[in-house]
Amino acid sequence: MDSKINYQLELDKLIKSIPAGETPTLLLHSCCAPCSSYTLEYLTQYFSITIFYYNPNISPEEEFRKRVAEQKRLISQLPVKNPVSFIEGEYKPQDFYAAVKGLENIPEGGERCFACYRQRLEKTAYLAKKLGFDYFTTTLSISPYKNAAKLNEIAAELSGICGVKNLPCDLKKRGGYKRSIELSAVYSLYRQDYCGCVFSKREREEHERLKQQREDRS
Ligand code: SF4
């Protein structure tokens, strides 16, 4: 994992190398509408994008359905240069639990998350290969809580295995995260307060409980 690489500069170079008049295809894994908002605003200037909503990590199912609906609504409302298509991945939470088996109690940001990144990127890379996309990537690097170096490392490895190019990204750079918050407000997007899995939900609830305890004592 090389945290010294500036993936935004890598992306700049790649975008500059696109021949005039060409619009490469990109299969973009998305975790939620807010994270995809700036990503779409930015990348649809250069790519013909299909959103792949594949997130078996999300719990409970009601939350998954809510995030899918918001994703579709955003696609239908966001003005973009090149139209965006949508593919909904299968929701099989048992696949997520199998991928993170033994890592359940590792705090957010550690090995459990790396396995979760890999599962979603792997599905995206293989689908990109199957459907003949030029590139694949994910919205995940827009979050300050996600490890962009690890995401890019996994994507590069999968690119070598699948034979589809990965788009190097660190979408939080250049104010991407801030812009996603602005766009979320403009489109009144539902913004969840936990990452997605049942473990992150528990961590969040525990954090809130301790905060409340501290406030009650002071
Ligand atoms: S905290 Fe987020 S990235 Fe980590 S395992 Fe859970 S859903 Fe996946």
Side-chain angles (χ1 to χ4, degrees), residues 2 18 22 34 49 63 80 83 105 117-118 122-123 133 137 147 171 177 197 201:
D2 193 342
I18 298 172
E22 283 189 19
I49 296 182
E63 174 76 16
V80 285
N105 296 321
Y117 299 169
R118 179 176 291 279
E122 190 170 72
K123 199 74 154 184
F133 280 83
T137 196
N147 185 326
L171 295 157
Y177 181 63
C197 66
K201 192 166 193 289

Side-chain angles (χ1 to χ4, degrees), residues 1-121:
M1 183 164 61
D2 193 342
S3 53
K4 287 189 214 82
I5 297 175
N6 185 326
Y7 292 98
Q8 177 63 54
L9 292 182
E10 300 283 304
L11 178 57
D12 288 344
K13 271 189 247 162
L14 191 149
I15 288 172
K16 257 195 180 156
S17 74
I18 298 172
E22 283 189 19
T23 310
T25 54
L26 168 66
L27 187 63
L28 174 65
H29 164 264
S30 173
C31 56
C32 60
C35 289
S36 73
S37 59
Y38 161 77
T39 312
L40 288 173
E41 183 182 69
Y42 171 40
L43 292 178
T44 49
Q45 297 174 77
Y46 313 104
F47 299 92
S48 171
I49 296 182
T50 295
I51 289 268
F52 181 39
Y53 193 88
Y54 172 68
N55 298 292
N57 51 313
I58 296 173
S59 175
E61 182 167 356
E62 188 190 359
E63 174 76 16
F64 175 87
R65 301 284 160 219
K66 199 168 171 180
R67 294 192 196 186
V68 174
E70 283 297 81
Q71 180 69 76
K72 288 183 182 166
R73 182 170 71 81
L74 178 68
I75 292 171
S76 71
Q77 294 180 350
L78 189 74
V80 285
K81 186 174 169 205
N82 292 297
V84 176
S85 303
F86 178 77
I87 297 174
E88 183 176 330
E90 268 189 304
Y91 180 61
K92 285 190 180 168
Q94 65 272 27
D95 290 351
F96 167 71
Y97 293 117
V100 301
K101 199 165 171 38
L103 306 170
E104 294 88 343
N105 296 321
I106 294 180
E108 187 169 338
E111 290 296 329
R112 186 188 72 228
C113 296
F114 299 165
C116 181
Y117 299 169
R118 179 176 291 279
Q119 180 172 52
R120 292 183 281 171
L121 278 165

